[in-house]
Amino acid sequence: MAALPLAVLLATAVAACGEKQVSTTPASSAPEHRTTATQQPTPKASPSPSVASVGDTLTLTGDESEKVAVTVVKVVDPAAGNDEFSSPDSGKRFVAVQFRLKNVGSKVFDDAPDNDAKVKDAQGQQFDPSFLDTSAGPGFGGSVTLPSGDSGLGFINFEVPATAKITKIQFTLNSGFANDVGQWNVP
């Protein structure tokens, strides 16, 4: 008889582990360029419920209780290849998204941001990062290690069909395996 309650408890725990939650409510609605080291971001008016857009910050939680404030700083679309060896395939273009990651938790954040990001188009197609460089700016260099309070800034590049209209950006900690998914709308 004791095995039945244990089985129910285990089934509930397994089901809860697989549930993803999409966060779209900004922690701060101020564009990145409107803050200084001594000022707090000034929230902008937004309709309720709030949906994150480029410039907004979402605080995401990882599987090991990491907490990272993620800001989509800007989107460069189209982005040019960094050199003659970095060009999109025929019928495709590069889109570069600049992210600011700030560790707002008490644990060290150690991850590969290129594994955490995806873009979606108006048709619902999802695209993973490209590992080719663009001239938009520097990337994260593979992985980041951020102690509490530290931040990192870098571009993540995507190769998408030339006709795709990118409408959403997603970011999920722990190489995309955490349950907390941040989502930003692209105008």
Side-chain angles (χ1 to χ4, degrees):
M1 281 305 232
L4 182 58
L6 180 58
V8 170
L9 180 62
L10 286 173
T12 303
V14 168
C17 288
E19 294 179 24
K20 294 235 182 217
Q21 175 182 348
V22 177
S23 300
T24 60
T25 305
S28 165
S29 298
E32 190 68 13
H33 67 278
R34 294 180 60 191
T35 61
T36 66
T38 58
Q39 294 177 320
Q40 291 296 320
T42 307
K44 63 183 177 186
S46 59
S48 188
S50 184
V51 176
S53 298
V54 175
D56 289 336
T57 300
L58 298 175
T59 300
L60 303 177
T61 304
D63 288 342
E64 296 182 22
S65 301
E66 308 95 326
K67 287 187 87 161
V68 179
V70 180
T71 306
V72 173
V73 178
K74 67 179 166 179
V75 176
V76 179
D77 185 3
N82 196 37
D83 55 36
E84 67 272 9
F85 304 109
S86 300
S87 60
D89 290 340
S90 178
K92 295 189 176 186
R93 73 179 192 281
F94 287 134
V95 174
V97 180
Q98 188 179 42
F99 291 91
R100 178 175 305 282
L101 309 176
K102 181 173 184 182
N103 185 347
V104 295
S106 59
K107 294 185 172 191
V108 171
F109 173 67
D110 187 17
D111 202 353
D114 284 9
N115 294 338
D116 298 340
K118 296 186 182 306
V119 294
K120 289 184 166 187
D121 70 9
Q123 304 303 314
Q125 293 289 325
Q126 183 171 284
F127 303 97
D128 292 324
S130 168
F131 294 101
L132 294 174
D133 292 327
T134 68
S135 61
F140 286 102
S143 67
V144 297
T145 301
L146 302 174
S148 183
D150 203 2
S151 64
L153 179 70
F155 278 93
I156 298 177
N157 304 308
F158 301 86
E159 188 174 351
V160 303
T163 59
K165 176 169 176 29
I166 300 304
T167 60
K168 293 183 182 357
I169 299 166
Q170 291 187 335
F171 198 90
T172 310
L173 303 180
N174 306 118
S175 289
F177 289 103
N179 290 328
D180 198 4
V181 179
Q183 182 168 279
W184 294 260
N185 285 340
V186 178

